[in-house]
Amino acid sequence: MTLPTDQQQIEFEAAAFRRLLGHLRERSDVQNIDLMNLAGFCRNCLSNWYQDAAKDAGVAISKDEARTMVYGMPYEDWKTLHQSEASDVQKTAFEASRPHE
């Protein structure tokens, strides 16, 4: 088995991340609360992690810029086009599964 070089690993991870973003953009029917309830993260988490990575590299990216990168459009536009009100079942599941500080 040939192990990837460090640069190849970065490239593979970046390609996988871009593919994940594309998938999430295509699946706008899947709500963030569903992702949180099932996987413990959502599109907003991804944008926060992206913003954190930029900050760690010394690059200032705003929350809105990071969300636009993840959503493929301004977050407010995405919410208007795709976000529905969470059901009581979704809200209850979220409260039960989310980390409590």
Side-chain angles (χ1 to χ4, degrees), residues 6-77:
D6 289 346
Q7 183 59 39
Q8 286 174 319
Q9 183 170 342
I10 290 167
E11 291 169 7
F12 300 160
E13 291 166 348
F17 182 71
R18 286 189 298 270
R19 191 169 177 179
L20 172 63
L21 291 180
H23 182 75
L24 290 173
R25 289 173 186 167
E26 288 176 18
R27 290 301 311 268
S28 58
D29 59 309
V30 178
Q31 298 293 298
N32 280 334
I33 195 164
D34 296 324
L35 291 169
M36 287 297 296
N37 288 342
L38 293 172
F41 78 98
C42 69
R43 293 169 183 90
N44 290 338
C45 297
L46 288 174
S47 68
N48 291 341
W49 300 339
Y50 185 86
Q51 186 181 22
D52 290 345
K55 181 180 177 184
D56 290 347
V59 178
I61 293 177
S62 72
K63 184 179 206 172
D64 288 338
E65 290 169 328
R67 284 188 173 181
T68 296
M69 193 285 303
V70 168
Y71 286 90
M73 66 181 70
Y75 179 55
E76 292 303 319
D77 293 350

